[in-house]
Amino acid sequence: MKAKIAEIFESVQGEGLYLGEKQIFVRFFNCNLSCTYCDTKLDRFMEYEPGELFEEIKLYRDKYHSVSFTGGEPLLYTNFLKEVLALTSEHGHKHYLETNGTLSFELEEVIDRIDIIAMDLKFPSSSGMGNLWNMHRKFLKVAVKKEVFLKAIICQATREEDLMEALSLIREVSPSSVLVLQPNSYENQSVLNEKLSRFKEIAKQNKVTTCVIPQIHKIMGLR
Ligand code: SF4
């Protein structure tokens, strides 16, 4: 069984709660969504067998926080992932999954071997993807078995009603999870700052912990 992989590289995590941690990144090709703000336009890949990917991961010999499975959407390759995760677990690696938070059945298949889940919440007004809240709810109900934090891109177009929907979902399913508000890197940051402060205050009133973390790798010119 083969998976399409766009790139494998080492770098530091550039977003979310594990910002700055050194990781081995495995970026899978293809995604089941097409968000308007997507900055991961992949146009090439190589096909790997699970054992081939494991051999390549083994070439990275420094100390790493974890292997980050990212994309695209890594959960499009569940059967492949299962085999890779079994191999990398034996090798002592921790597993960090970056996901768009919509494929709950696929997550169930691999969650035993995942340590940390960075789950996106696609706000309809930001992503242009329509209403994915039921998919997100099902996904989060599985993800809570492990450490999970949530991430939402905030744009000028993001509406308060989407934030309220997200806060209600978090309170219902995983009240201790942190919601990372990530300003869209391609928009005027000073305009976004005002919205971010307001959203933070609303979240506080609703007893959900948030933090504002921009994509540091873009600011620092890292991969
Ligand atoms: S889920 Fe992520 S990779 Fe997929 S289209 Fe949206 S932003 Fe791009």
Side-chain angles (χ1 to χ4, degrees), residues 27-28 30-42 70-74 99-102 120 122 127 129 153:
R27 187 181 303 287
F28 287 84
N30 273 342
C31 184
N32 57 320
L33 303 183
S34 54
C35 310
T36 45
Y37 51 63
C38 184
D39 59 0
T40 320
K41 305 286 186 210
L42 304 171
T70 185
E73 175 50 56
T99 170
N100 62 32
T102 57
D120 288 349
K122 302 296 183 188
S127 68
M129 282 308 306
I153 305 276

Side-chain angles (χ1 to χ4, degrees), residues 3 5 7-9 13 23-29 50 53-54 57 66-75 77 80-89 93-100 110 113-118:
I5 292 176
E7 52 181 353
I8 305 164
F9 59 98
Q13 178 56 244
Q23 294 180 316
I24 304 166
F25 289 81
V26 177
R27 187 181 303 287
F28 287 84
F29 188 81
L53 176 59
F54 177 56
I57 289 172
S66 47
V67 181
S68 173
F69 295 96
T70 185
E73 175 50 56
L75 291 175
Y77 300 94
F80 176 90
L81 259 182
K82 264 194 213 166
E83 288 198 25
V84 172
L85 294 172
L87 294 167
T88 47
S89 291
H93 283 296
K94 217 174 186 183
H95 300 137
Y96 180 101
L97 176 68
E98 295 198 69
T99 170
N100 62 32
V110 296
R113 293 198 189 272
I114 299 291
D115 299 289
I116 301 161
I117 301 167

Side-chain angles (χ1 to χ4, degrees), residues 123 152 154 163 179-183 196 199-200 210-214:
F123 287 12
I154 306 301
L163 175 72
L179 171 62
V180 175
L181 303 174
Q182 188 170 293
L196 289 161
F199 279 14
K200 246 186 112 31
T210 56
C211 48
V212 175
I213 306 181

Side-chain angles (χ1 to χ4, degrees), residues 1-3 5 8 46-50 52-53 56 80:
M1 151 215 342
K2 291 189 173 183
I5 292 176
I8 305 164
M46 281 182 55
E47 290 196 314
Y48 284 81
E49 293 280 356
E52 291 170 341
L53 176 59
E56 187 131 350
F80 176 90

Side-chain angles (χ1 to χ4, degrees), residues 56-221:
E56 187 131 350
I57 289 172
K58 280 203 298 187
L59 297 176
Y60 293 87
R61 294 178 184 276
D62 274 359
K63 270 205 162 303
Y64 296 95
H65 171 269
S66 47
V67 181
S68 173
F69 295 96
T70 185
E73 175 50 56
L75 291 175
L76 291 177
Y77 300 94
T78 316
N79 290 334
F80 176 90
L81 259 182
K82 264 194 213 166
E83 288 198 25
V84 172
L85 294 172
L87 294 167
T88 47
S89 291
E90 269 179 37
H91 210 242
H93 283 296
K94 217 174 186 183
H95 300 137
Y96 180 101
L97 176 68
E98 295 198 69
T99 170
N100 62 32
T102 57
L103 302 174
S104 53
F105 175 76
E106 287 79 355
L107 178 64
E108 268 175 13
E109 297 286 303
V110 296
I111 193 156
D112 286 351
R113 293 198 189 272
I114 299 291
D115 299 289
I116 301 161
I117 301 167
M119 171 185 169
D120 288 349
L121 286 179
K122 302 296 183 188
F123 287 12
S125 55
S126 316
S127 68
M129 282 308 306
N131 183 337
L132 300 175
W133 295 115
N134 278 339
M135 292 174 94
H136 284 327
R137 180 169 280 98
K138 282 186 193 155
F139 191 94
L140 189 55
K141 283 181 177 170
V142 181
V144 287
K145 294 175 191 157
K146 294 295 175 78
E147 180 182 340
V148 55
F149 70 90
L150 301 110
K151 216 161 21 112
I153 305 276
I154 306 301
C155 315
Q156 288 179 33
T158 307
R159 297 174 64 151
E160 202 172 298
E161 65 197 50
D162 289 341
L163 175 72
M164 296 309 291
E165 192 75 44
L167 298 176
S168 139
L169 168 63
I170 295 167
R171 275 204 320 268
E172 174 197 328
V173 183
S174 182
S176 59
S177 289
V178 173
L179 171 62
V180 175
L181 303 174
Q182 188 170 293
N184 183 356
S185 317
Y186 300 106
E187 291 185 3
N188 185 318
Q189 299 300 294
S190 49
V191 176
L192 287 178
N193 281 343
E194 197 186 316
K195 178 172 276 188
L196 289 161
S197 306
R198 188 157 44 86
F199 279 14
K200 246 186 112 31
E201 190 50 42
I202 294 170
K204 193 173 164 194
Q205 287 163 8
N206 283 273
K207 302 193 182 342
V208 173
T209 306
T210 56
C211 48
V212 175
I213 306 181
Q215 289 180 301
I216 295 295
H217 55 293
K218 287 188 182 154
I219 296 167
M220 294 176 69

